[in-house]
Amino acid sequence: MKTKWGSCNPEKGTIWLNLELARKDIAAVDYVILHEIAHFVSPRHDTTFIAVLNHLMPNWRQIRADLNAAPLTD
Ligand SMILES: [Zn+2]
């Protein structure tokens, strides 16, 4: 799974993060890490995946919207 902010390899248990995240709000960093960890539970953005996000970070949709609304480099 790969996005502009992060990617993961559940088989190897590894996560990569875009270093541009270091310039973002800490909540955005938490969201991207959580997103990638949730892919260890489900590889797809399915109901199981969404349930993990909803459980651990109820406001994840707002955080994602704020992150994606910002340019990649300010
Ligand atoms: Zn994803």
Side-chain angles (χ1 to χ4, degrees):
M1 304 304 294
K2 185 169 172 53
T3 69
K4 68 179 180 179
W5 295 115
S7 61
C8 64
N9 184 329
E11 292 177 6
K12 294 182 178 177
T14 54
I15 289 173
W16 291 269
L17 300 176
N18 186 329
L19 287 179
E20 287 287 331
L21 276 173
R23 301 158 60 117
K24 304 298 181 185
D25 194 274
I26 191 66
V29 180
D30 284 346
Y31 162 69
V32 174
I33 293 172
L34 178 59
H35 182 112
E36 301 305 335
I37 289 174
H39 276 311
F40 290 2
V41 178
S42 175
R44 301 176 185 279
H45 299 146
D46 58 12
T47 53
T48 300
F49 176 89
I50 299 297
V52 171
L53 292 188
N54 286 341
H55 179 68
L56 296 175
M57 184 180 276
N59 62 335
W60 68 270
R61 292 177 194 277
Q62 182 60 54
I63 295 169
R64 181 182 66 176
D66 292 345
L67 177 63
N68 289 335
L72 194 55
T73 47
D74 300 307

